[in-house]
Amino acid sequence: MVKIGLIGCGTVGQGVLRIIEKHRASIEKRVGAPVEIVKICDVKRKVMDQLPAKYKNSFCRDYREVLNDPEIDLVIELVGGTDFAREVVLEAFRQGKHVVTANKALLSQYWDEIFVQARKFGVLIYFEASVGGGIPVIQALNDGLAANKIESILGILNGTTNYILTKMSHEKMPFAKALRLARKLGFAERNPSLDIKGIDSRHKISILASIAFGSWIKPSEIYAEGIQKISLQDILYAEEEFGYAVKLLAIAKDDNGSIEIRVHPTMINKEHLLTSVNNQFNAIYIRGDAAGETMYYGQGAGQMPAASAVVSDVIDLSRNIFNKIAGTIPYVHYDPYKKIKIKNIAEVIVKYYIRFTTVDKPGVLSKISGILGKHHVSIEACLQKGQSGRRRVPIIMITHKAKEKDVMRALQEIDNLAISKSKTVYIRIEE
Ligand code: HSE
């Protein structure tokens, strides 16, 4: 029998118990042995009342009861956060226990320590639920695409922001109302500013890129910008005038050995597959040198999708534990000593959507285009919205590919002119 301890039995933990009970027969067939959750730990006493009758005697409130139980082979860590979770995971390793976690913040911030320690103690840590909820993207990237050199990853990795952007675009819903709905549906983080500011996506792309490029890419090395400043006006102009949809994209690309990695609202052509990923859904578009383009789509959050990923890890690991091969080879193949070069956002070259707000007077356009030209930014399309005679008008431009630092310098100069009536808005475009 494979004996499991569960630490943190909130929404996802309870989903895990439900799946194990519902599919016990097929799970055990896949593992080749009985699988049992023998201890469940949560600090909240009321969790015990919510447990199915058979688990009530397995309940405890001190996680050390799980980690000190010599019979337990595998620990499922679902406490969230980083400090306490790190303590739990590292202590589980010291006790020779394998770990399944959904904790993206923990993994992305302590990647090196976690994998080095796991190796040292001859144990494994699986983390399918940390990115993309129910989408098996970790396995796809780590195993399914193992024959490839990964060229690029484009991900819609956050359900909350995708839901908000979809509601703004499809129903012209204000940002705040869409956020309230996302929280009600249960996919926002406890602190939704992590979703909105792109921090959740940054953790997730850090994990995907670290697997793809074989070296830890720290969240602090990843440029992240959220959707808090996106206006309905820009979403509608982008769609109606230029055929672009706005998505919060996490992007990682291998540019001849230098890694370009960033999270920000991005305009993508409405013909791109990623624009059909709406509401709380996530998708990860990965290009490998042999497989070409691949895409993985599904529910990136929520109780049962996340539990699905956790249980699939439990099955995989339990099979290895039962066959006494778990920990003999590492799960993720990465080199803690390999250093890779991360491209600074200032050096990134993309197309831009730019909206100026200016007075409507002769010479305005030539002033703007002159400054853009001086900074090597070339204009592909230009449009003035609104009726003449108004004191402030939006002028929208799509640029050819330009270097971020050149665009920023040009915008700063333009914003300082008397013709500029409010701060210029820009959104990067992904081709
Ligand atoms: N808060 C996340 C999201 C879910 O909105 O996608 C868990 O990763």
Side-chain angles (χ1 to χ4, degrees):
M1 178 184 295
V2 178
K3 293 191 176 172
I4 300 168
L6 170 60
I7 302 181
C9 193
T11 317
V12 178
Q14 291 175 30
V16 167
L17 296 180
R18 269 170 64 189
I19 295 182
I20 290 184
E21 287 317 308
K22 191 170 167 202
H23 298 307
R24 174 174 296 283
S26 78
I27 290 172
E28 294 189 343
K29 214 177 236 169
R30 284 170 197 273
V31 172
V35 169
E36 202 54 79
I37 300 209
V38 295
K39 279 213 166 80
I40 297 172
C41 171
D42 201 288
V43 281
K44 291 192 197 116
R45 174 82 181 62
K46 68 167 196 235
V47 167
M48 192 173 113
D49 305 327
Q50 294 157 359
L51 292 177
K54 70 170 273 195
Y55 288 116
K56 293 210 191 277
N57 283 337
S58 318
F59 184 77
C60 62
R61 292 176 66 199
D62 182 351
Y63 74 100
R64 283 166 297 204
E65 279 189 45
V66 178
L67 299 185
N68 293 335
D69 183 338
E71 301 234 293
I72 289 178
D73 309 292
L74 166 57
V75 171
I76 306 174
E77 177 279 305
L78 296 175
V79 292
T82 49
D83 297 345
F84 177 56
R86 174 174 164 267
E87 217 177 288
V88 168
V89 167
L90 295 179
E91 184 54 25
F93 291 171
R94 278 184 224 114
Q95 301 288 342
K97 300 184 193 318
H98 306 280
V99 173
V100 170
T101 182
N103 197 326
K104 60 228 155 176
L106 174 72
L107 277 168
S108 59
Q109 286 171 32
Y110 294 100
W111 183 269
D112 252 348
E113 182 181 29
I114 286 174
F115 287 103
V116 168
Q117 291 299 309
R119 198 149 191 191
K120 176 172 158 197
F121 290 100
V123 290
L124 292 175
I125 177 163
Y126 279 27
F127 50 93
E128 187 59 71
S130 63
V131 183
I135 309 170
V137 64
I138 302 291
Q139 290 232 10
L141 186 59
N142 194 45
D143 298 328
L145 293 172
N148 291 257
K149 174 178 184 294
I150 301 300
E151 294 172 343
S152 60
I153 302 174
L154 301 185
I156 295 176
L157 300 178
N158 183 268
T160 302
T161 45
N162 203 39
Y163 184 84
I164 293 172
L165 291 172
T166 306
K167 291 285 166 193
M168 288 174 81
S169 147
H170 294 193
E171 297 174 32
K172 303 196 174 35
M173 190 183 279
F175 181 96
K177 187 174 174 198
L179 172 59
R180 271 200 305 280
L181 282 176
R183 295 188 77 175
K184 208 165 133 195
L185 291 168
F187 29 81
E189 294 297 306
R190 241 174 283 172
N191 169 8
S193 75
L194 294 179
D195 298 295
I196 303 304
K197 292 182 178 163
I199 311 298
D200 178 73
S201 297
R202 169 152 78 179
H203 289 148
K204 292 168 176 168
I205 194 71
S206 153
I207 293 174
L208 294 180
S210 300
I211 298 173
F213 304 122
S215 173
W216 180 28
I217 299 181
K218 300 183 183 80
S220 58
E221 295 173 301
I222 303 173
Y223 175 84
E225 192 182 300
I227 64 162
Q228 63 273 37
K229 289 195 207 131
I230 293 292
S231 73
L232 187 54
Q233 189 184 17
D234 291 310
I235 291 180
L236 299 180
Y237 285 156
E239 277 177 12
E240 289 160 12
E241 307 293 346
F242 303 104
Y244 289 126
V246 179
K247 296 287 183 190
L248 181 68
L249 281 198
I251 300 168
K253 292 180 185 173
D254 183 346
D255 183 9
N256 287 322
S258 142
I259 304 300
E260 184 174 317
I261 182 160
R262 49 199 161 93
V263 173
H264 51 70
T266 311
M267 289 191 181
I268 33 179
N269 197 299
K270 289 206 104 176
E271 275 157 30
H272 195 288
L273 273 178
L274 282 171
T275 61
S276 58
V277 179
N278 288 316
N279 295 311
Q280 74 274 31
F281 281 84
N282 284 193
I284 304 98
Y285 179 91
I286 305 177
R287 185 195 289 272
D289 66 342
E293 299 167 47
T294 63
M295 188 158 114
Y296 312 87
Y297 169 87
Q299 301 210 52
Q303 182 187 40
M304 298 316 281
S308 156
V310 170
V311 176
S312 85
D313 278 348
V314 166
I315 295 172
D316 218 351
L317 253 176
S318 297
R319 191 193 294 128
N320 290 344
I321 291 168
F322 179 64
N323 289 310
K324 299 196 173 12
I325 52 166
T328 51
I329 43 168
Y331 178 47
V332 170
H333 297 273
Y334 102 101
D335 176 358
Y337 302 105
K338 179 175 159 189
K339 287 276 161 273
I340 45 180
K341 190 168 169 278
I342 309 289
K343 198 192 271 184
N344 190 295
I345 185 74
E347 301 301 321
V348 164
I349 298 174
V350 290
K351 285 172 64 161
Y352 289 79
Y353 162 100
I354 304 176
R355 175 168 55 81
F356 303 97
T357 306
T358 68
V359 293
D360 191 8
K361 282 199 181 141
V364 167
L365 256 186
S366 79
K367 266 202 180 116
I368 291 177
S369 55
I371 293 175
L372 288 171
K374 188 175 90 185
H375 290 281
H376 324 288
V377 181
S378 164
I379 302 159
E380 181 184 290
C382 177
L383 174 79
Q384 179 173 322
K385 295 293 287 184
Q387 298 124 9
S388 63
R390 287 184 48 191
R391 283 177 44 224
R392 296 153 62 102
V393 286
I395 295 175
I396 300 151
M397 287 183 183
I398 303 290
T399 69
H400 284 293
K401 281 191 173 179
K403 204 176 253 187
E404 172 102 2
K405 69 176 171 204
D406 291 336
V407 174
M408 294 308 127
R409 280 182 191 144
L411 297 194
Q412 204 170 27
E413 201 172 322
I414 293 165
D415 278 351
N416 284 335
L417 299 175
I419 57 159
S420 284
K421 289 299 163 196
S422 63
K423 196 165 165 38
T424 298
V425 170
Y426 61 89
I427 301 177
R428 299 173 189 86
I429 299 172
E430 191 64 29
E431 297 265 83

